[in-house]
Amino acid sequence: MEALTPAAIRPPLIPPIRARISVHALVSFGSVQIPNRRKIEVKAKSEKRSASAAAASVDYTDPDWKSNYQKDFEARFRIPHLTDALHDAVPYPSTFCLRMRTPVSPDFAEGYPSDGEWHGYVNTNDRVLLKVIRYSSPASAGAECIDPGCTWVEQWVHRAGPREKIYFKPEEVKAAIVTCGGLCPGLNDVIRQIVITLEIYGVKKIVGIPFGYRGFTDSSLSEMPLSRKVVQNIHLSGGSLLGVSRGGPTVIQIVDSMVERGINMLFVLGGNGTHAGANAIHEECRKRQLKVAVVGVPKTIDNDILLMDKTFGFDTAVEEAQRAIYSAYIEAHSAYRGIGIVKLMGRSSGFIAMQASLASGQIDICLIPEVPFNIHGPNGVLNHLKYLLETKGSAVVCVAEGAGQDLLQKTNATDASGNIILGDIGVHIQQETKKFFKEIGFTADVKYIDPTYMIRACRANASDGILCTVLGQNAVHGAFAGHSGITVGICNTHYVYFPIPQVIAEPKVVDPNSRMWHRCLTSTGQPDFI
């Protein structure tokens, strides 16, 4: 693993991130303090936190505040590069060219093959617009405003794709892939595309780290050699070829293992917590002056990663949730005064429940973590269920697992990732529903379905398959371009690179004032349960 010379080090260009994370929202990932998304306070009502975090320090009396804000945005969203510390690093002509696909020679005797006439490269200065709607008023549905006047401010992020110059010699690269957290449809698709794209660049040494970060230090787990032959058909199955796990060793132990193994490219597939770990690994590599690229690929079926249109696995999860919702509908519709209750995944974000409710057209009540509700009382869920049974004869409820936690007994128990173990809101609603109708002497047939883990263990659908393919390819392009501490995502239908700290500052949540939530309410016809 190549070391960076001390004389080449210069101060980082990225200023401190102004994300609103409290001191209490930090947990230790080994010896490095990183944000724990599960303990970050979620305030979804009416405020747009990603914009307000940076806007909070803006002096609107300054006539140049707009240009100053844009400069600050550009600095915060600048993606780290090896030349930040190694400014005399030598770039090479890219070995990735789809016009000239002759095999790369083992010894690269005549330099690196390239075709300067090929117009398939992405210019380093290419940008994608982060926000595309110009709101005229803060009162507009879903408005994201920086100042009280809702001034339009351009915010550009870096476009993803292959660059004409690369900063790693393929024959010197040992790339590793690790999948962390829980399962998610599409993991194998991403692994497959990372391997295939690395081989197109000319990389011969590719390995998989088994069972998440713990695979770096567990002596009983051996790294898995990967090649196109190995991964050719893995996307036909759900799960992860490499296995997944939560928790693991310290950052120092992970980087020690990377040095020992000679790994200088690391691709990390996971959610907010995993990305926080990836960023800590990136920082430790910089601290040690190691020439290493650490690139993340956001993985969460909850779709709760900031700034991105969606994360892979989400579409498949919504599609699979339809099976449970349809079953609940049939059970409720076929019974005398039947009620079907379905609990879906979504710890702090209700995107799966909301989208599944919209897609099915069979949901009467959708409950998500971002919108408080009462179960009892004249405006409660149970009273509305009684109304539905009297008027429709049946009802179907969809609830996200993180909804209504204030109605349940608190627990201090956490999982290996530091996430608070939630109370079972689905069972609670089921029990309260049966009790309510029994007490008032009103016949009701309640059926409860919990497909929680079924919707994440399946193979990716076509939409997610495409997303996974492109994310995997662009992750490799970003690493070869010399970027580290970045993640790849889709923004306004275009693929982009984000600095990791900007997407892990807090979880993305459903805005109760957004048009999408209003569409869901229009579809279900439900009232406010307050």
Side-chain angles (χ1 to χ4, degrees):
M1 189 176 296
E2 185 176 342
L4 308 183
T5 58
I9 300 176
R10 63 188 184 195
L13 300 179
I14 302 178
I17 304 301
R18 297 192 182 93
R20 297 189 305 105
I21 305 179
S22 69
V23 175
H24 303 289
L26 296 176
V27 294
S28 177
F29 183 90
S31 60
V32 180
Q33 294 293 309
I34 60 174
N36 180 347
R37 66 173 179 149
R38 306 308 184 189
K39 296 181 181 179
I40 297 174
E41 184 180 11
V42 177
K43 295 182 178 179
K45 282 193 173 182
S46 74
E47 71 172 7
K48 300 293 183 175
R49 297 161 307 163
S50 58
S52 64
S57 60
V58 176
D59 179 9
Y60 298 114
T61 62
D62 183 350
D64 297 323
W65 76 262
K66 182 177 177 180
S67 60
N68 291 337
Y69 179 89
Q70 287 177 316
K71 291 177 182 178
D72 176 71
F73 178 90
E74 291 172 5
R76 288 186 292 113
F77 280 79
R78 177 187 175 276
I79 51 178
H81 195 273
L82 294 176
T83 53
D84 294 346
L86 190 66
H87 54 267
D88 57 351
V90 178
Y92 314 97
S94 178
T95 54
F96 181 88
C97 180
L98 299 181
R99 172 172 292 179
M100 186 174 58
R101 279 178 264 185
T102 54
V104 178
S105 61
D107 56 356
F108 300 91
E110 301 300 324
Y112 295 93
S114 184
D115 187 349
E117 300 300 318
W118 187 56
H119 295 294
Y121 298 115
V122 171
N123 191 288
T124 303
N125 295 319
D126 283 1
R127 299 289 186 272
V128 172
L129 196 59
L130 182 63
K131 306 293 182 184
V132 296
I133 300 178
R134 181 170 184 169
Y135 297 99
S136 61
S137 166
S140 296
E144 300 181 29
C145 300
I146 296 171
D147 70 320
C150 224
T151 304
W152 169 256
V153 179
E154 293 182 359
Q155 301 173 61
W156 299 94
V157 292
H158 294 253
R159 185 185 180 200
R163 269 51 171 176
E164 193 170 357
K165 299 293 182 181
I166 59 177
Y167 284 81
F168 288 90
K169 293 183 177 180
E171 74 274 23
E172 296 176 356
V173 169
K174 181 177 181 180
I177 307 170
V178 61
T179 56
C180 305
L183 288 181
C184 179
L187 279 170
N188 283 333
D189 301 64
V190 178
I191 293 169
R192 179 176 181 269
Q193 279 303 317
I194 289 176
V195 172
I196 290 173
T197 309
L198 283 167
E199 287 197 352
I200 291 176
Y201 271 96
V203 177
K204 303 298 182 183
K205 293 176 287 186
I206 311 170
V207 298
I209 305 299
F211 298 104
Y213 287 132
R214 72 175 63 248
F216 281 104
T217 57
D218 191 329
S219 59
S220 67
L221 301 174
S222 301
E223 63 185 29
M224 181 186 299
L226 298 176
S227 64
R228 182 164 194 151
K229 183 177 181 180
V230 173
V231 303
Q232 185 62 45
N233 296 314
I234 63 172
H235 64 300
L236 302 179
S237 303
S240 169
L241 172 71
L242 305 178
V244 296
S245 72
R246 299 188 185 277
T250 66
V251 172
I252 290 176
Q253 290 174 320
I254 291 174
V255 177
D256 285 345
S257 177
M258 290 173 61
V259 173
E260 182 181 345
R261 299 167 189 247
I263 294 170
N264 53 5
M265 274 191 191
L266 178 63
F267 299 95
V268 182
L269 284 60
N272 276 344
T274 301
H275 270 65
N279 193 62
I281 294 170
H282 157 72
E283 294 292 347
E284 179 66 16
C285 289
R286 279 299 164 86
K287 179 181 176 181
R288 299 191 189 191
Q289 304 172 28
L290 302 174
K291 186 181 178 183
V292 176
V294 181
V295 178
V297 182
K299 173 232 68 173
T300 165
I301 63 172
D302 288 350
N303 197 35
D304 61 352
I305 304 290
L306 282 176
L307 307 174
M308 300 182 186
D309 291 359
K310 63 180 177 179
T311 51
F312 76 83
F314 174 68
D315 276 356
T316 305
V318 171
E319 186 173 303
E320 283 298 307
Q322 304 304 298
R323 300 174 185 266
I325 291 175
Y326 181 68
S327 297
Y329 170 77
I330 292 299
E331 288 285 352
H333 190 69
S334 301
Y336 175 66
R337 292 178 178 171
I339 298 174
I341 302 172
V342 179
K343 186 184 77 172
L344 299 176
M345 298 187 79
R347 292 183 58 90
S348 58
S349 305
F351 288 103
I352 292 180
M354 176 179 68
Q355 298 281 44
S357 297
L358 269 170
S360 70
Q362 296 166 334
I363 298 297
D364 298 291
I365 299 175
C366 178
L367 305 173
I368 61 175
E370 297 87 343
V371 180
F373 61 90
N374 292 321
I375 294 179
H376 299 279
N379 298 319
V381 171
L382 296 177
N383 199 50
H384 186 60
L385 278 175
K386 181 174 179 293
Y387 166 78
L388 291 171
L389 294 184
E390 290 172 337
T391 56
K392 289 181 56 180
S394 64
V396 183
V397 180
C398 178
V399 56
E401 61 178 326
Q405 291 299 303
D406 58 313
L407 306 175
L408 306 175
Q409 185 175 357
K410 300 293 183 181
T411 174
N412 294 322
T414 59
D415 62 18
S417 296
N419 305 320
I420 294 176
I421 296 177
L422 301 176
D424 197 328
I425 185 63
V427 171
H428 181 71
I429 291 177
Q430 176 200 29
Q431 293 174 343
E432 291 299 305
T433 301
K434 289 182 176 181
K435 180 180 177 182
F436 170 78
F437 284 109
K438 182 178 181 180
E439 288 178 347
I440 65 174
F442 192 92
T443 302
D445 190 346
V446 182
K447 296 295 191 300
Y448 176 59
I449 298 176
D450 182 356
T452 301
Y453 294 103
M454 293 178 63
I455 69 174
R456 74 177 196 177
C458 55
R459 172 188 174 187
N461 66 9
S463 174
D464 272 328
I466 295 171
L467 177 60
C468 292
T469 295
V470 184
L471 290 177
Q473 292 175 358
N474 281 319
V476 177
H477 295 322
F480 263 102
H483 295 295
S484 180
I486 65 169
T487 190
V488 59
I490 185 170
C491 176
N492 293 321
T493 73
H494 294 278
Y495 292 89
V496 301
Y497 295 131
F498 291 110
I500 290 177
Q502 292 299 328
V503 301
I504 64 172
E506 53 199 348
K508 182 176 74 172
V509 296
V510 174
D511 176 14
N513 190 46
S514 67
R515 286 292 301 124
M516 189 58 73
W517 178 243
H518 291 171
R519 294 178 187 119
C520 184
L521 295 179
T522 301
S523 175
T524 63
Q526 69 191 64
D528 293 332
F529 297 115
I530 297 296

